[in-house]
Amino acid sequence: MKSIKDVNFKGKKVLVRVDFNVPLDEHKHITDDTRICEAVPTINKLVADGAKIILIAHLGRPKKNGFDEEFSLKPIADYLEKLLDKKVIFIQKLLGEEVEHIINNMKDGDIFLLENIRFYPEETKGDEAFAKKIAALGECYINDAFGSSHRLHCSTAVIAKFFPNDRYFGFLMEYEVKNLNRLMRESKKPFTAIIGGSKISSKIKILESLLDIADNILIGGGMVFTFLKAQGKEIGKSLCEDDCMQVADNLMKKAKIKRVKVFLPIDVVEAEKFDNNAIRKEVSVDKINSQYMGMDIGEKTAKIYFDVIAESKTILWNGPMGVFEMSNFRMGTKAMAEAIAEATANGAFSTVGGGDSVAAINMFGFADKVSFISTGGGAMLEYVENGTLPGIDAINENR
Ligand code: AMP
């Protein structure tokens, strides 16, 4: 990886793609700042060098063509300024004369955050002409946006071609890749993957890939019910992707052939409705009420999963076991966090990735009790699947 470690960027206009796509509450308060904090080492190195730092980032999925207050990076600029204790220039624009004027007048060590790049639909289309316009704002390009590097977008990949000799990986990218390579290439057995979340359709590729790496796969979250329905069980009003039942069934068959143990819950917490105060019951997966919905794994399942994790030497976790945002349905997710912390204390190498799992690990206070927290959800899973990402290839190409 072409690192920034040995390069001095003094006086250079450096475009840095960062991943500031963080969760915000209704008052625009950042509820998890992990991604912003993880970008700080690269920014600090550039400040110390005396570079002119131009940050490129996105927030959410704006649908309007053009500026949309709801997705402005303004709250992020304010937050970053406090975090760094340093002025962050921000003007709610990305291109144009005003932006160029600011860049031409930046002093060494100045930081300028450009407005949400997704206000231009060209960004996600990977439009080359747009990438060229963005590239023209700087003299070097650094990709430090691991969490967005699975996208073949202008600022995460296409732009790199305009800097054939001046494109680099930031410290966060290096750190992520080093840890994920360790997870995949030097993993000690047993390797246990804990996969949860709402949908099987978004996790099927990683589940298939894990059949070649893992010894145990523990399944939780809403996707459980597609597996259970495929087995002919009553799942009531639980989340289900009917068009994925065959996929779920095939996965179980492949796992048997590959001798990978795939665990499904034996009991669940069911509720009358999708509400923290709804009537709730713990039932066997054979006794789900046709009028109820499954909201979490049950105590017996949590115990089984806990014991598998405790015996593991390598652990990968992505996706909550239940609706952990509601206090009455977070027992399973909390149990997984506890089990991972315990296994890590006993020498296991553990990796947690994905917005919800990281939020859960932080919520339960275990962030410093796991080996590695990835800033990527989709990016982490895709790296584990393919061993690379479009944003990594773009920097390494034709070297
Ligand atoms: P994903 O974005 O696919 O990783 O899914 C994360 C979301 O799945 C979280 O917001 C959870 O609340 C939700 N979730 C987990 N378990 C369930 C469940 N049993 N029913 C409905 N939603 C769930």
Side-chain angles (χ1 to χ4, degrees):
M1 295 191 89
K2 195 165 176 194
S3 169
I4 55 174
K5 198 172 77 230
D6 307 317
V7 183
N8 190 324
F9 292 91
K10 176 148 185 64
K12 295 263 189 221
K13 292 180 207 159
V14 185
L15 292 168
V16 191
R17 178 53 158 109
V18 285
D19 187 349
F20 287 167
N21 189 28
V22 291
L24 299 170
D25 66 16
E26 65 273 29
H27 306 294
K28 300 270 177 246
H29 293 143
I30 293 161
T31 52
D32 187 341
D33 66 355
T34 309
R35 285 177 163 172
I36 304 181
C37 295
E38 297 292 336
V40 169
T42 294
I43 297 173
N44 278 344
K45 138 90 180 157
L46 295 170
V47 171
D49 278 2
K52 296 170 175 128
I53 305 142
I54 305 157
L55 302 174
I56 307 172
H58 81 278
L59 181 66
R61 297 185 174 182
K63 297 274 177 310
K64 277 189 208 165
N65 185 353
F67 180 78
D68 181 348
E69 184 80 49
E70 194 192 334
F71 295 99
S72 171
L73 287 173
K74 175 83 174 70
I76 316 287
D78 294 342
Y79 194 88
L80 184 63
E81 197 162 85
K82 284 199 196 107
L83 191 69
L84 298 173
D85 194 19
K86 184 174 166 48
K87 169 92 190 134
V88 172
I89 308 166
F90 183 77
I91 60 158
Q92 299 200 315
K93 288 214 169 96
L94 178 74
L95 285 171
E97 272 176 28
E98 242 180 299
V99 169
E100 282 163 31
H101 178 77
I102 290 174
I103 292 177
N104 290 335
N105 288 288
M106 282 172 81
K107 296 190 189 67
D108 291 356
D110 276 357
I111 303 171
F112 179 17
L113 173 62
L114 299 178
E115 183 55 287
N116 192 343
I117 191 153
R118 289 205 187 164
F119 287 166
Y120 286 79
E122 294 93 327
E123 159 69 358
T124 50
K125 289 185 190 136
D127 182 291
E128 208 167 306
F130 178 69
K132 198 173 175 183
K133 274 191 211 163
I134 302 289
L137 300 175
E139 298 164 280
C140 320
Y141 169 73
I142 296 172
N143 184 358
D144 210 21
F146 178 78
S148 306
S149 288
H150 56 315
R151 310 281 187 207
L152 223 171
H153 294 171
C154 288
S155 65
T156 52
V158 183
I159 192 171
K161 69 163 64 116
F162 300 105
F163 300 95
N165 302 310
D166 297 291
R167 56 191 193 212
Y168 309 88
F169 295 104
F171 290 138
L172 173 59
M173 278 298 261
E174 273 193 81
Y175 181 67
E176 291 271 3
V177 167
K178 191 179 103 202
N179 278 289
L180 292 176
N181 284 349
R182 178 171 171 198
L183 175 86
M184 290 151 57
R185 296 178 194 160
E186 299 158 36
S187 54
K188 293 199 183 115
K189 293 192 157 273
F191 184 131
T192 297
I194 308 144
I195 303 292
S198 56
K199 289 183 178 169
I200 183 170
S201 54
S202 61
K203 302 279 163 81
I204 189 64
K205 269 174 49 208
I206 184 69
L207 285 168
E208 300 241 346
S209 301
L210 285 169
L211 293 179
D212 293 323
I213 316 172
D215 302 294
N216 307 301
I217 302 177
L218 313 179
I219 297 189
M223 75 169 93
V224 157
F225 302 96
T226 305
F227 282 94
L228 296 180
K229 191 165 175 189
Q231 293 177 352
K233 295 196 195 315
E234 167 68 71
I235 59 160
K237 293 179 176 164
S238 307
L239 213 60
C240 183
E241 291 171 283
D242 285 327
D243 53 345
C244 286
M245 273 161 51
Q246 191 60 48
V247 167
D249 205 40
N250 288 345
L251 188 92
M252 298 306 276
K253 284 186 184 135
K254 279 189 209 160
K256 224 175 222 159
I257 295 167
K258 297 197 174 188
R259 294 176 194 277
V260 177
K261 286 191 203 145
V262 177
F263 291 74
L264 286 170
I266 58 162
D267 61 345
V268 295
V269 178
E270 61 173 14
E272 204 183 8
K273 51 185 177 190
F274 196 79
D275 182 336
N276 193 36
N277 300 316
I279 298 171
R280 59 194 284 281
K281 262 192 230 150
E282 269 198 54
V283 290
S284 146
V285 289
D286 295 310
K287 298 257 165 59
I288 297 176
N289 185 320
S290 63
Q291 297 307 309
Y292 279 49
M293 56 179 70
M295 299 284 275
D296 195 4
I297 58 173
E299 295 266 3
K300 291 195 186 92
T301 305
K303 170 85 178 73
I304 294 170
Y305 285 13
F306 193 104
D307 291 345
V308 173
I309 295 167
E311 295 290 310
S312 304
K313 289 276 169 279
T314 306
I315 301 158
L316 169 67
W317 182 27
N318 174 272
M321 296 290 101
V323 186
F324 77 106
E325 296 92 338
M326 300 185 194
S327 60
N328 285 328
F329 307 108
R330 67 172 62 128
M331 178 279 299
T333 304
K334 188 168 182 210
M336 297 307 98
E338 280 166 356
I340 295 169
E342 193 174 303
T344 310
N346 290 329
F349 180 72
S350 56
T351 296
V352 179
D356 289 312
S357 322
V358 174
I361 270 283
N362 287 331
M363 178 193 282
F364 306 129
F366 290 123
D368 57 352
K369 294 189 170 59
V370 298
S371 313
F372 168 58
I373 293 184
S374 174
T375 54
M380 177 189 82
L381 297 180
E382 206 171 305
Y383 191 82
V384 172
E385 275 160 45
N386 302 331
T388 188
L389 296 173
I392 294 175
D393 290 343
I395 302 246
N396 286 337
E397 243 155 44
N398 303 323
R399 275 204 187 282

